[in-house]
Amino acid sequence: QVQLVESGGGLVQAGGSLRLSCVVSGRTLSTYYMGWLRQAPGKEREFVADISRSGLITNYADSVKGRFTISRDNAKNMVYLQMNSLKPEDTAVYYCAAGTSSLGPYDYWGQGTQVTVSS
């Protein structure tokens, strides 16, 4: 059974930074293409960033490009999302997700961690 657990969320002022972490257990992290998604109140869940199995390829939503950085440490079974220059519109529950294909839906999800950015 694969489990994903996020941490690192919290309350931060606009312009501040947070680093989200996701620990994956149950299988070797290098098996999975990993992503971060978020869902704000009253809105649909949206893509934030993803990263290839090796970590060499990353993709970002236009809204976070240049401010957020996704990374992974396969030896530690960890995935990270460094978030800088946070804006109130970044407020959402952030989810870590794992997939066996970069083209298909994610297979496993974490429970989410709340990020709140005050103006």
Side-chain angles (χ1 to χ4, degrees):
Q1 181 73 15
V2 178
Q3 291 188 323
L4 287 70
V5 179
E6 304 97 334
S7 61
L11 174 63
V12 64
Q13 288 189 332
S17 298
L18 283 174
R19 188 175 86 150
L20 305 184
S21 299
C22 173
V23 58
V24 180
S25 61
R27 280 193 74 174
T28 305
L29 179 61
S30 58
T31 302
Y32 298 106
Y33 200 95
M34 299 297 298
W36 286 95
L37 298 93
R38 67 187 182 187
Q39 186 166 20
K43 295 186 177 181
E44 293 188 354
R45 188 153 51 189
E46 64 175 2
F47 168 79
V48 175
D50 62 21
I51 187 166
S52 64
R53 293 176 181 81
S54 66
L56 295 178
I57 300 172
T58 57
N59 298 289
Y60 297 92
D62 288 343
S63 59
V64 307
K65 203 170 292 184
R67 299 188 297 122
F68 290 12
T69 303
I70 188 171
S71 61
R72 65 193 294 160
D73 185 335
N74 287 341
K76 296 181 178 179
N77 274 11
M78 296 291 295
V79 182
Y80 306 99
L81 185 68
Q82 178 67 43
M83 306 186 295
N84 299 328
S85 303
L86 283 161
K87 304 176 181 180
E89 51 264 42
D90 294 319
T91 295
V93 177
Y94 283 71
Y95 297 91
C96 176
T100 53
S101 170
S102 62
L103 301 177
Y106 290 104
D107 300 291
Y108 303 99
W109 294 82
Q111 83 290 348
T113 185
Q114 176 71 47
V115 171
T116 303
V117 184
S118 63
S119 57

